[in-house]
Amino acid sequence: MKVGVLALQGAFARHSEVLSGLGAVPLEVRTPADLEAVDAMVMPGGESTTMSMLLDSSGLHTPLAERLADGLPVLGTCAGMILLAVRVTDGRPDQRSFGAIDVDVRRNGYGRQIDSFEDQFPVTGLDGPFHGVFIRAPVVERVGTAVEVLAQVDGIPVLCREGSVLVSSFHPEMSGDGRIHERFLDLAFGAGTSTGPR
Amino acid sequence: MSDVARATGTQLVKRGLAEMLKGGVIMDVVDPAQAKIAEDAGATAVMALERVPSDIRRDGGVARMSDPEMILGIQEVVTIPVMAKARIGHFAEAQVLQALDVDYVDESEVLTPADEAHHIDKWAFDVPFVCGATNLGEALRRISEGACLIRSKGEAGTGNIVEAVRHLRSIIGDIRRITQADQAELFDWAKRLQSPLPLVQEIAETGELPVPMFCAGGIATPADASLVMQLGAQAVFVGSGIFKSDDPAPRARAIVEAVTNFRDAAMVAKVSRGLGDAMPGLEMDSLETRLADRGW
């Protein structure tokens, strides 16, 4: 289970820790050669404008778009979700997104840092609520018909899935609870493949 | 359903933004035009201030919080987080910055201190704080006051990396030594560092600061950025180094690339080419004021 973690900028190290704890092998991805070695991908939180620029300058944008089009399983959190969306509102005009999941998002839709929050909510298929940390989080404004909404907060989708693309507006890597990552590994490699502590 | 109400301003939420800024470059800017250049170059955040440190050093006088008008102007033109500086101990300036919805407050030695004994009680705020430190004891005192992000101080406005290296090595070296200490020695470490014992014990267990640690003060080139990242910084602040150089936009961009690829010397070489002159540097012995000495 080689899982690439996009390591251009942001909270990538935390994702690697969670993935290791579940028995996956995280590999930091900064170059097209790094990308070739992975069977699934995590796009972490950070600044989506910075990552978008670095995706271009690193030469990763085109090969990553191709892998995603070929069905590379991917987990996108916060900025990662923005990069995987179809349309991004309130981003930069030159900001690119991959359109890997049929959702539209508004960048920093919950407001500035002062409005960042943590909250608990039920997630379809998980026993007990998940504790989510939302940092200058994007708001999901439209969800396509093929997209399954797995969790909502105040009626707004916060965890969505289409095929083997899983996106969250919160940071599952920050709450010390690996269940969202475990769900992702199940999506990517088949149910029950992760081995770590629950 | 959730029986826990939604919570804002928690430690997790405050530290969370620092986590998101890792592996990036936070750039000092003095007006909206510079902020735009910084964002275009890939900055993860901008630090709004009235004068960059090298100008504060040159002009002397009392350096204060920036004009709110300028901060609002910067917030309008960029989508990335906007930070701003308050004077050490000046909690009223920090309250104003929180009221302006800045994303992070830097309680900074670059400005003239307002209190000679007390730093701001940062637990009293919902906005997160970053503070400078020259050694581990200072870092832990700031964390005990509620700072959610530590930056090694370096010597701001000099374009000279030597102090940043000294401070990083001091902080990281002591962390390494603490992980080797036995339980009894931790009491002595807490005493010597003038820091709370529980924080020292936490470091002994985890081998790292309880909050992220970035580097500031003296970074002028992509290689400087690579150096401090390899020494253990998790992101960098660049002050005068960008907008006091010959050609700010490409230099800003190059430093961003160097932080992402800090272990890849070929990449650092590639992005370092043809940037023009870096900011003029200053020798430590020539300084009248050591900004890093401010803070207690």
Side-chain angles (χ1 to χ4, degrees), chain A residues 64-94:
Chain A
L64 184 53
E66 286 168 8
R67 289 289 306 267
L68 289 169
D70 288 345
L72 178 73
V74 60
L75 167 65
T77 62
C78 196
M81 173 201 234
I82 294 172
L83 291 172
L84 292 168
V86 171
R87 269 192 53 207
V88 180
T89 315
D90 288 353
R92 288 169 50 85
D94 59 348

Short mmCIF file of all heavy atoms in Angstrom, two decimals, chain A residues 64-94:
data_model
loop_
_atom_site.label_atom_id
_atom_site.label_comp_id
_atom_site.label_asym_id
_atom_site.label_seq_id
_atom_site.Cartn_x
_atom_site.Cartn_y
_atom_site.Cartn_z
N LEU A 64 -0.07 14.24 -12.75
CA LEU A 64 -1.06 13.98 -11.69
C LEU A 64 -2.47 14.03 -12.28
O LEU A 64 -3.31 13.19 -11.95
CB LEU A 64 -0.88 15.00 -10.56
CG LEU A 64 -1.77 14.81 -9.32
CD1 LEU A 64 -1.68 13.40 -8.76
CD2 LEU A 64 -1.40 15.83 -8.24
N ALA A 65 -2.72 14.98 -13.17
CA ALA A 65 -4.04 15.06 -13.82
C ALA A 65 -4.31 13.76 -14.59
O ALA A 65 -5.43 13.22 -14.55
CB ALA A 65 -4.09 16.26 -14.76
N GLU A 66 -3.28 13.23 -15.24
CA GLU A 66 -3.45 11.98 -15.99
C GLU A 66 -3.74 10.80 -15.07
O GLU A 66 -4.64 10.00 -15.32
CB GLU A 66 -2.20 11.69 -16.83
CG GLU A 66 -2.09 12.61 -18.05
CD GLU A 66 -0.71 12.55 -18.72
OE1 GLU A 66 0.12 11.69 -18.34
OE2 GLU A 66 -0.47 13.37 -19.62
N ARG A 67 -2.98 10.72 -13.97
CA ARG A 67 -3.22 9.61 -13.03
C ARG A 67 -4.63 9.71 -12.44
O ARG A 67 -5.32 8.71 -12.28
CB ARG A 67 -2.19 9.64 -11.88
CG ARG A 67 -0.75 9.27 -12.24
CD ARG A 67 -0.54 7.79 -12.56
NE ARG A 67 -0.98 6.84 -11.56
CZ ARG A 67 -0.24 6.32 -10.58
NH1 ARG A 67 1.03 6.71 -10.47
NH2 ARG A 67 -0.71 5.45 -9.74
N LEU A 68 -5.05 10.94 -12.12
CA LEU A 68 -6.40 11.11 -11.55
C LEU A 68 -7.47 10.71 -12.56
O LEU A 68 -8.45 10.06 -12.21
CB LEU A 68 -6.60 12.56 -11.08
CG LEU A 68 -5.81 12.99 -9.85
CD1 LEU A 68 -5.87 14.50 -9.65
CD2 LEU A 68 -6.31 12.28 -8.59
N ALA A 69 -7.25 11.08 -13.81
CA ALA A 69 -8.21 10.71 -14.86
C ALA A 69 -8.26 9.19 -15.03
O ALA A 69 -9.30 8.62 -15.38
CB ALA A 69 -7.83 11.38 -16.17
N ASP A 70 -7.13 8.53 -14.75
CA ASP A 70 -7.08 7.06 -14.84
C ASP A 70 -7.63 6.37 -13.60
O ASP A 70 -7.55 5.15 -13.48
CB ASP A 70 -5.63 6.59 -15.04
CG ASP A 70 -5.12 6.90 -16.43
OD1 ASP A 70 -5.95 7.21 -17.30
OD2 ASP A 70 -3.89 6.84 -16.64
N GLY A 71 -8.10 7.18 -12.63
CA GLY A 71 -8.74 6.58 -11.46
C GLY A 71 -7.84 6.39 -10.26
O GLY A 71 -8.14 5.57 -9.38
N LEU A 72 -6.73 7.12 -10.18
CA LEU A 72 -5.87 7.05 -8.99
C LEU A 72 -6.70 7.40 -7.75
O LEU A 72 -7.29 8.47 -7.70
CB LEU A 72 -4.71 8.04 -9.13
CG LEU A 72 -3.74 8.15 -7.95
CD1 LEU A 72 -2.84 6.92 -7.88
CD2 LEU A 72 -2.88 9.41 -8.05
N PRO A 73 -6.77 6.50 -6.76
CA PRO A 73 -7.52 6.83 -5.55
C PRO A 73 -6.87 8.01 -4.84
O PRO A 73 -5.64 8.07 -4.73
CB PRO A 73 -7.42 5.56 -4.69
CG PRO A 73 -7.04 4.47 -5.64
CD PRO A 73 -6.21 5.13 -6.70
N VAL A 74 -7.68 8.95 -4.36
CA VAL A 74 -7.09 10.14 -3.75
C VAL A 74 -7.96 10.63 -2.59
O VAL A 74 -9.18 10.58 -2.65
CB VAL A 74 -6.87 11.25 -4.81
CG1 VAL A 74 -8.19 11.66 -5.46
CG2 VAL A 74 -6.17 12.46 -4.23
N LEU A 75 -7.27 11.05 -1.53
CA LEU A 75 -7.91 11.70 -0.39
C LEU A 75 -7.46 13.15 -0.38
O LEU A 75 -6.26 13.42 -0.34
CB LEU A 75 -7.49 11.01 0.92
CG LEU A 75 -7.83 11.75 2.23
CD1 LEU A 75 -9.33 11.86 2.44
CD2 LEU A 75 -7.21 11.01 3.44
N GLY A 76 -8.39 14.09 -0.44
CA GLY A 76 -8.04 15.51 -0.42
C GLY A 76 -8.64 16.18 0.79
O GLY A 76 -9.85 16.09 1.02
N THR A 77 -7.80 16.82 1.60
CA THR A 77 -8.31 17.49 2.80
C THR A 77 -8.09 18.99 2.68
O THR A 77 -6.99 19.44 2.38
CB THR A 77 -7.61 16.97 4.06
OG1 THR A 77 -6.21 17.26 3.99
CG2 THR A 77 -7.79 15.47 4.21
N CYS A 78 -9.13 19.76 2.90
CA CYS A 78 -9.07 21.23 2.91
C CYS A 78 -8.49 21.76 1.59
O CYS A 78 -9.16 21.71 0.57
CB CYS A 78 -8.29 21.71 4.13
SG CYS A 78 -8.53 23.46 4.48
N ALA A 79 -7.26 22.25 1.59
CA ALA A 79 -6.66 22.73 0.34
C ALA A 79 -6.65 21.61 -0.70
O ALA A 79 -6.84 21.85 -1.90
CB ALA A 79 -5.24 23.23 0.59
N GLY A 80 -6.45 20.37 -0.25
CA GLY A 80 -6.46 19.22 -1.16
C GLY A 80 -7.83 19.05 -1.81
O GLY A 80 -7.95 18.71 -2.99
N MET A 81 -8.88 19.31 -1.04
CA MET A 81 -10.23 19.25 -1.58
C MET A 81 -10.43 20.34 -2.64
O MET A 81 -11.03 20.10 -3.69
CB MET A 81 -11.24 19.44 -0.45
CG MET A 81 -12.69 19.57 -0.92
SD MET A 81 -13.70 20.38 0.33
CE MET A 81 -15.00 19.21 0.55
N ILE A 82 -9.89 21.51 -2.36
CA ILE A 82 -10.01 22.62 -3.31
C ILE A 82 -9.34 22.23 -4.63
O ILE A 82 -9.88 22.43 -5.71
CB ILE A 82 -9.36 23.91 -2.74
CG1 ILE A 82 -10.15 24.39 -1.51
CG2 ILE A 82 -9.30 25.01 -3.79
CD1 ILE A 82 -9.49 25.54 -0.75
N LEU A 83 -8.16 21.61 -4.53
CA LEU A 83 -7.43 21.23 -5.74
C LEU A 83 -8.16 20.14 -6.53
O LEU A 83 -7.96 20.02 -7.73
CB LEU A 83 -6.02 20.74 -5.37
CG LEU A 83 -5.06 21.83 -4.84
CD1 LEU A 83 -3.77 21.19 -4.34
CD2 LEU A 83 -4.73 22.85 -5.92
N LEU A 84 -9.00 19.35 -5.86
CA LEU A 84 -9.68 18.25 -6.55
C LEU A 84 -11.07 18.64 -7.06
O LEU A 84 -11.69 17.88 -7.80
CB LEU A 84 -9.80 17.04 -5.60
CG LEU A 84 -8.47 16.37 -5.26
CD1 LEU A 84 -8.64 15.40 -4.09
CD2 LEU A 84 -7.89 15.65 -6.48
N ALA A 85 -11.56 19.82 -6.68
CA ALA A 85 -12.91 20.23 -7.03
C ALA A 85 -13.02 20.60 -8.51
O ALA A 85 -12.02 20.70 -9.22
CB ALA A 85 -13.32 21.42 -6.17
N VAL A 86 -14.26 20.79 -8.95
CA VAL A 86 -14.49 21.23 -10.33
C VAL A 86 -14.35 22.74 -10.42
O VAL A 86 -13.58 23.26 -11.21
CB VAL A 86 -15.90 20.79 -10.81
CG1 VAL A 86 -16.23 21.43 -12.16
CG2 VAL A 86 -15.97 19.27 -10.91
N ARG A 87 -15.11 23.45 -9.58
CA ARG A 87 -15.04 24.91 -9.61
C ARG A 87 -14.64 25.46 -8.25
O ARG A 87 -15.09 24.96 -7.22
CB ARG A 87 -16.39 25.51 -10.01
CG ARG A 87 -16.54 25.74 -11.51
CD ARG A 87 -17.76 26.60 -11.82
NE ARG A 87 -17.76 27.84 -11.06
CZ ARG A 87 -18.88 28.49 -10.73
NH1 ARG A 87 -20.05 28.02 -11.07
NH2 ARG A 87 -18.81 29.63 -10.05
N VAL A 88 -13.81 26.49 -8.27
CA VAL A 88 -13.35 27.12 -7.03
C VAL A 88 -13.74 28.60 -7.07
O VAL A 88 -13.34 29.32 -7.99
CB VAL A 88 -11.82 27.01 -6.87
CG1 VAL A 88 -11.38 27.67 -5.57
CG2 VAL A 88 -11.38 25.54 -6.91
N THR A 89 -14.52 29.02 -6.08
CA THR A 89 -14.88 30.43 -5.98
C THR A 89 -13.97 31.10 -4.95
O THR A 89 -13.55 30.45 -3.99
CB THR A 89 -16.34 30.57 -5.51
OG1 THR A 89 -17.13 29.65 -6.25
CG2 THR A 89 -16.88 31.96 -5.76
N ASP A 90 -13.69 32.37 -5.16
CA ASP A 90 -12.85 33.15 -4.24
C ASP A 90 -11.40 32.67 -4.18
O ASP A 90 -10.70 32.90 -3.20
CB ASP A 90 -13.43 33.19 -2.81
CG ASP A 90 -14.68 34.06 -2.74
OD1 ASP A 90 -14.98 34.73 -3.75
OD2 ASP A 90 -15.33 34.07 -1.69
N GLY A 91 -10.98 31.97 -5.20
CA GLY A 91 -9.56 31.63 -5.28
C GLY A 91 -8.87 32.68 -6.13
O GLY A 91 -9.40 33.76 -6.35
N ARG A 92 -7.67 32.35 -6.58
CA ARG A 92 -7.00 33.25 -7.51
C ARG A 92 -7.45 32.89 -8.92
O ARG A 92 -7.73 31.74 -9.21
CB ARG A 92 -5.49 33.07 -7.39
CG ARG A 92 -4.90 33.64 -6.12
CD ARG A 92 -3.47 33.17 -5.98
NE ARG A 92 -2.72 33.40 -7.21
CZ ARG A 92 -2.12 34.56 -7.52
NH1 ARG A 92 -2.17 35.56 -6.68
NH2 ARG A 92 -1.46 34.70 -8.64
N PRO A 93 -7.49 33.88 -9.83
CA PRO A 93 -7.95 33.59 -11.19
C PRO A 93 -7.09 32.53 -11.89
O PRO A 93 -7.61 31.75 -12.71
CB PRO A 93 -7.84 34.94 -11.90
CG PRO A 93 -7.26 35.91 -10.93
CD PRO A 93 -7.22 35.29 -9.59
N ASP A 94 -5.81 32.47 -11.54
CA ASP A 94 -4.93 31.51 -12.22
C ASP A 94 -4.84 30.18 -11.47
O ASP A 94 -4.08 29.30 -11.82
CB ASP A 94 -3.52 32.09 -12.39
CG ASP A 94 -2.89 32.47 -11.06
OD1 ASP A 94 -3.61 32.51 -10.04
OD2 ASP A 94 -1.68 32.73 -11.03
#
